[in-house]
Amino acid sequence: MGGLFITVEGPEGAGKTTVLNKLGDELIKQGNDIVMTREPGGIKIAEQIRKVILDKENTEMDPRTEALLYAAARRQHLVEKVIPALKRGAIILCDRFIDSSLAYQGVARELGIEEVYLINQFAIQDIMPDLTIYFDVDVEIGLERIAANQGREVNRLDLEKKDFHLKVRKGFRQLLDRFPERIYEVDASRPLDCVYEEVKSKVEEAILSEKRV
Ligand SMILES: Nc1ncnc2c1ncn2[C@@H]1O[C@H](COP(=O)(O)OP(=O)(O)O)[C@@H](O)[C@H]1O
Ligand SMILES: [Mg+2]
């Protein structure tokens, strides 16, 4: 299809959004065609689904409903935003994608990676990222960073106990074993500058190899 589909993954407070915003600005300055987006959301229908998923009042949400809503939002976002951008050869930087579903719903909510992968296959039809950067950080460090960030609104997932976030991290670590070629791990517990530089060189390397094809 052309283009380059890059996703960032990892727990809350790992620094994904901060690094992605900075990197996007830098790559645009270099003259690249960049599409910055996020999941769940990125386009109108998916942002509406996002509100339902993250609403603090929706405490009765069933895990399978949650998994299906994420997959539905993913489908619409892919069709409306990601695929057209890939077709014109753009570089897509997406904050979360299928791996979050596999870690959060598959492992932490205990639906099973296989089952969640299957419903996501229905949604994505084999369109997987070319590169995924996984931000690994100790759960407590991540939660402390979020607590220190006053400007950030608390969502339904933030209300989960520490144990849930530990399972999420375990889930991401299982995915590293499962997709070693696609997922690149970054130690996100280090200072922001170090994390940023490492992510930037990895992404630039991917852009260069894409241009050589
Ligand atoms: N490497 C880092 N060291 C210290 N603080 C960080 C680091 N990366 C991000 N932060 C801070 O942590 C908070 C959460 O970062 P954010 O990018 O929103 O994480 P995420 O998108 O992964 O949930 C922000 O206040 C951000 O400034
Ligand atoms: Mg974020």
Side-chain angles (χ1 to χ4, degrees):
M1 203 181 298
L4 200 58
F5 184 21
I6 298 174
T7 60
V8 296
E9 296 279 4
E12 293 297 324
K16 301 181 298 298
T17 305
T18 309
V19 168
L20 212 56
N21 286 340
K22 190 169 170 198
L23 181 62
D25 289 347
E26 173 64 26
L27 293 173
I28 290 168
K29 255 187 235 153
Q30 291 176 10
N32 296 287
D33 181 0
I34 301 291
V35 174
M36 303 261 289
T37 190
R38 69 164 183 184
E39 273 206 358
I43 42 112
K44 187 187 69 191
I45 293 174
E47 290 289 343
Q48 287 169 352
I49 299 173
R50 179 190 179 95
K51 284 203 185 98
V52 175
I53 297 174
L54 296 181
D55 189 338
K56 287 199 293 281
E57 306 297 316
N58 286 343
T59 49
E60 70 273 44
M61 174 104 48
D62 172 77
R64 284 175 186 251
T65 307
E66 186 183 56
L68 289 164
L69 285 173
Y70 275 115
R74 178 159 302 132
R75 170 71 189 172
Q76 190 66 29
H77 176 249
L78 197 69
V79 168
E80 253 191 74
K81 195 161 182 183
V82 177
I83 293 174
L86 286 173
K87 281 190 175 152
R88 68 162 201 264
I91 298 162
I92 292 115
L93 301 177
C94 187
D95 199 336
R96 295 194 183 279
F97 191 62
I98 186 172
D99 299 301
S100 282
S101 287
L102 301 177
Y104 283 78
Q105 280 70 53
V107 178
R109 299 264 192 242
E110 300 180 4
L111 293 180
I113 288 181
E114 287 313 318
E115 294 233 51
V116 178
Y117 189 77
L118 278 175
I119 61 157
N120 274 278
Q121 261 312 314
F122 179 75
I124 68 176
Q125 298 180 289
D126 283 322
I127 299 180
M128 287 292 276
D130 299 297
L131 169 68
T132 297
I133 307 214
Y134 165 60
F135 285 56
D136 188 62
V137 75
D138 188 76
V139 167
E140 273 173 14
I141 298 178
L143 294 178
E144 272 167 25
R145 285 181 188 167
I146 288 174
N149 184 357
Q150 301 290 341
R152 192 176 175 287
E153 207 186 321
V154 175
N155 67 46
R156 191 169 58 86
L157 293 179
D158 294 334
L159 301 176
E160 288 291 344
K161 302 270 176 307
K162 187 181 157 195
D163 182 51
F164 176 81
H165 296 287
L166 287 171
K167 284 194 212 156
V168 169
R169 188 182 190 199
K170 202 180 95 197
F172 278 123
R173 302 221 58 89
Q174 286 178 31
L175 298 174
L176 280 171
D177 292 337
R178 187 174 171 143
F179 303 106
E181 256 112 74
R182 174 173 62 84
I183 308 181
Y184 177 80
E185 179 180 8
V186 172
D187 175 2
S189 64
R190 296 169 302 157
L192 188 54
D193 282 355
C194 300
V195 179
Y196 174 72
E197 286 306 325
E198 188 178 350
V199 173
K200 181 167 168 258
S201 28
K202 188 67 194 173
V203 168
E204 285 176 342
E205 184 190 304
I207 294 173
L208 282 177
S209 59
E210 162 70 18
K211 280 182 182 156
R212 259 184 254 121
V213 180

